[in-house]
Amino acid sequence: MIAVLMGGYSAEREISLLSGEAVYKSLCESKIDCFPFDLNDKNLDELWKLKFHKAFIVLHGRGGEDGFIQTELMKKNISFTGSDAKSSSLCMDKALTKDLWKKHNLPLSDSIVVNKGETPPSISFPQPWAVKPTLEGSSIGISKVSKKTELDSALNEAFQYGNQALVEQWIEGEEYTVSILNNQALPSIKITSDHDIYDYHSKYFSNKTEYLCPSDLTDEQELKLQNIALKAFKLTGASGWGRVDFILDKDKKPFLLEINTVPGMTSHSLVPMAAKASNLSFNELVLRILHG
């Protein structure tokens, strides 16, 4: 019996419910014995009363991608999809992930960390800047700062989601993403949004966001991006499936943004799109994640 864990209590709850329903429906179509479970911060004990031998984790953000549910499942000796607790916790923290990648000379924009309640350190890299929470996904709490007077407001926005913010040099370019499935990189996707930031609305609800998959990269550029994505993914200890996001500047030079260990599985989501470009149906993708 498979428990499809969805919902959660993060800022991405709404999307997790959509992703979870899609995965649950798919497993049912594949004749897999399963049940959906809408996890919140008060019903974990209810989950343990149910009989299941594996969890399909479709919890986005905190509680699902930060190692919490992985730790609880490991305590019960219950297997689960995706990355383990340690790598999930690391990947959730954008600042720690960037520190690791920097040590291995992966391509990154300049950045600093700002702690809530402290005076921001001097910023040596040029504006504009991207300001984001270190522990949030789906571009929640992110702002573009074009002049220094806008920094305090952007930090306050980021601090609504935690006590630490990441200030990065803004790279003018286009967003690309590479999905990882069982140690293989899927075709990259180019994302074009009508918003300055590929934000929460653009990701999940806008019909004006455009996706190109396979993308417009040459074979050489595609292979380079996939290799960077695989290396970035493996360095964190992540496993099973995930997604690595990039900005490519006007010269197609890549800059790593972040890693997602439980990406979206909705109708607008990118992993299913990349799988389709690899001739994998949604049901086949779900089964590969389940058995990966």
Side-chain angles (χ1 to χ4, degrees):
M1 182 66 74
I2 308 298
V4 182
L5 305 184
M6 64 180 82
Y9 42 86
S10 77
E12 299 174 76
R13 172 177 168 77
E14 182 181 6
I15 304 307
S16 176
L17 288 171
L18 294 173
S19 292
E21 285 297 331
V23 168
Y24 171 64
K25 180 182 176 184
S26 173
L27 289 172
C28 290
E29 289 175 358
S30 296
K31 311 298 184 191
I32 301 293
D33 286 334
C34 61
F35 63 89
F37 190 85
D38 181 356
L39 187 72
N40 60 47
D41 56 355
K42 296 181 177 65
N43 68 351
L44 189 59
D45 286 340
E46 296 301 313
L47 176 62
W48 306 137
K49 294 175 184 177
L50 304 172
K51 293 192 183 304
F52 65 102
H53 72 277
K54 188 169 187 175
F56 197 121
I57 299 174
V58 207
L59 293 159
H60 307 319
R62 298 185 200 194
E65 288 185 89
D66 59 0
F68 170 76
I69 192 62
Q70 290 83 359
T71 298
E72 297 304 311
L73 288 163
M74 288 165 73
K75 288 177 184 176
K76 299 286 184 179
N77 290 316
I78 297 172
S79 62
F80 51 87
T81 56
S83 300
D84 65 15
K86 183 179 178 181
S87 56
S88 297
S89 177
L90 170 63
C91 293
M92 187 70 183
D93 190 316
K94 296 180 181 71
L96 289 179
T97 303
K98 286 195 75 167
D99 284 344
L100 173 66
W101 287 341
K102 187 176 182 180
K103 289 175 184 174
H104 291 271
N105 298 314
L106 290 177
L108 299 164
S109 62
D110 290 332
S111 63
I112 62 163
V113 173
V114 181
N115 295 308
K116 188 175 183 179
E118 296 180 5
T119 303
S122 60
I123 301 174
S124 58
F125 45 88
Q127 298 159 351
W129 304 323
V131 179
K132 60 184 75 170
T134 60
L135 297 175
E136 210 48 79
S138 291
S139 300
I140 291 169
I142 187 172
S143 306
K144 183 179 182 180
V145 171
S146 299
K147 48 190 176 182
K148 195 172 182 180
T149 53
E150 299 170 347
L151 180 60
D152 284 347
S153 175
L155 288 171
N156 287 335
E157 172 68 19
F159 289 146
Q160 289 185 44
Y161 302 96
N163 295 322
Q164 209 174 57
L166 190 66
V167 181
E168 297 176 312
Q169 184 174 358
W170 184 278
I171 304 296
E172 290 294 346
E174 295 167 315
E175 187 152 350
Y176 290 72
T177 190
V178 176
S179 300
I180 308 294
L181 179 62
N182 300 336
N183 294 317
Q184 286 191 309
L186 301 183
S188 68
I189 301 174
K190 178 183 178 181
I191 303 151
T192 305
S193 170
D194 59 335
H195 289 208
D196 202 17
I197 296 172
Y198 178 48
D199 58 10
Y200 187 82
H201 177 79
S202 302
K203 286 183 176 182
Y204 300 114
F205 301 108
S206 175
N207 290 318
K208 293 183 179 179
T209 305
E210 296 180 354
Y211 306 95
L212 189 62
C213 184
S215 68
D216 59 347
L217 300 179
T218 66
D219 289 347
E220 183 181 357
Q221 290 168 337
E222 175 79 1
L223 185 60
K224 178 182 178 181
L225 200 67
Q226 288 179 325
N227 285 338
I228 294 170
L230 274 171
K231 184 175 181 181
F233 190 78
K234 290 176 179 177
L235 279 172
T236 64
S239 59
W241 69 302
R243 210 186 69 231
V244 183
D245 297 338
F246 297 84
I247 288 286
L248 270 63
D249 68 12
K250 58 179 174 34
D251 298 319
K252 296 297 185 186
K253 180 183 177 183
F255 294 84
L256 279 160
L257 288 177
E258 62 178 312
I259 188 168
N260 301 268
T261 54
V262 186
M265 292 288 277
T266 73
S267 60
H268 277 62
S269 294
L270 302 172
V271 175
M273 198 179 300
K276 186 177 180 180
S278 297
N279 297 313
L280 278 179
S281 70
F282 187 82
N283 286 355
E284 289 170 325
L285 169 65
V286 169
L287 289 176
R288 290 204 185 185
I289 293 170
L290 177 64
H291 299 306

